[in-house]
Amino acid sequence: MSTAVLEGNGHRCLSDGVHGRRKSVDDKSEDGLLSDVRSRLVKEMQFPEDLVEVCERIGTGCHLLRLLDEGFTMSERDPLLFLVPDLHNEESLHYFNNGNFGLPPGSPGSLPWPGGVPPAAHDPLPAGVVQRPPFALGRFISSQPGVQDLSHGSMLVFYVENLEFLFWLSSRIQDQRQFRRIGPQVAADFGVAAHEPLIRAYTLDRLRGPSMLYPNFAHTA
């Protein structure tokens, strides 16, 4: 799992992505550092408490605060997109890193890895696999036209050049077997079980908040 150094408001912290491990690398205590991140997300970015918890734990909060401190700007037409897995759901964490491949047998949407195992770092990608782990979903998103990762390789925060790219990105994810989830409407049409959404997506059109849940970013088909 790659680790990024994050800076903002006079502090630096380490984050290990969706596994949420981090430690202070200056003279602040870890508790004090995390308290500072939580406080700023609530007061300066208007995040609700449930979103603050997960953004603080996985490092998204540090990335957003760094962008805020650097004066990064965007708008409704070119928003930020950030992904939020469920830290208490192993399937959600697995999906973020791998997609549907290798989800536990019996889990809705689970697919076996082509060839039986995930591709190694330098192996050719098997047919049907568009990105290798870890961070497969984020890697796929950042590889699309008009999208840029702003989280130092953690694949959590993305700049999207315009709303057309954002809409198109949703369709691209739905097109990929590795990431496609079957939503309620498609499930009802075909008489199959719906797949639980495993990732939430939010947009920001300004770093002072508030964040907006983006239901049209449907990793469920």
Side-chain angles (χ1 to χ4, degrees):
M1 189 73 66
S2 63
T3 302
V5 178
L6 314 173
E7 302 187 26
N9 195 35
H11 67 251
R12 302 169 73 224
C13 65
L14 286 175
S15 172
D16 251 343
V18 297
H19 292 286
R21 298 198 311 269
R22 65 172 54 72
K23 59 183 177 181
S24 169
V25 290
D26 60 11
D27 59 357
K28 284 190 176 183
S29 70
E30 183 174 2
D31 287 345
L33 174 62
L34 299 186
S35 176
D36 182 46
V37 170
R38 294 187 194 106
S39 176
R40 294 192 67 197
L41 289 175
V42 172
K43 294 178 180 178
E44 298 180 43
M45 301 191 69
Q46 303 181 58
F47 277 23
E49 287 293 341
D50 60 333
L51 189 57
V52 166
E53 179 185 6
V54 66
C55 286
E56 171 266 308
R57 288 186 60 189
I58 66 178
T60 303
C62 272
H63 289 297
L64 293 172
L65 291 173
R66 171 179 53 81
L67 293 170
L68 176 64
D69 293 341
E70 291 173 353
F72 187 87
T73 59
M74 64 284 191
S75 70
E76 290 183 3
R77 295 181 178 179
D78 58 338
L80 289 186
L81 171 74
F82 63 97
L83 305 180
V84 178
D86 182 350
L87 296 180
H88 305 291
N89 183 339
E90 287 298 324
E91 293 182 7
S92 176
L93 300 179
H94 181 97
Y95 178 84
F96 179 85
N97 280 305
N98 304 275
N100 293 314
F101 293 126
L103 283 169
S107 172
S110 172
L111 296 170
W113 279 105
V117 295
H122 302 293
D123 289 346
L125 291 178
V129 179
V130 293
Q131 285 292 336
R132 68 185 76 248
F135 313 139
L137 177 60
R139 289 181 195 274
F140 179 74
I141 290 172
S142 69
S143 72
Q144 301 305 301
V147 182
Q148 179 185 356
D149 171 49
L150 297 181
S151 54
H152 294 225
S154 293
M155 303 298 167
L156 291 165
V157 180
F158 308 91
Y159 172 70
V160 184
E161 287 185 9
N162 58 53
L163 293 179
E164 183 178 354
F165 282 126
L166 186 64
F167 178 80
W168 184 77
L169 182 59
S170 304
S171 299
R172 285 286 291 152
I173 290 175
Q174 293 175 28
D175 287 342
Q176 307 306 318
R177 186 166 176 256
Q178 184 170 0
F179 303 116
R180 183 186 305 126
R181 309 288 291 170
I182 297 178
Q185 185 60 56
V186 172
D189 290 344
F190 288 90
V192 297
H195 299 168
E196 177 189 4
L198 295 176
I199 300 288
R200 288 179 291 164
Y202 291 84
T203 59
L204 281 167
D205 55 30
R206 60 191 187 101
L207 280 166
R208 293 289 178 182
S211 60
M212 293 168 285
L213 185 65
Y214 186 53
N216 291 334
F217 184 85
H219 65 280
T220 54

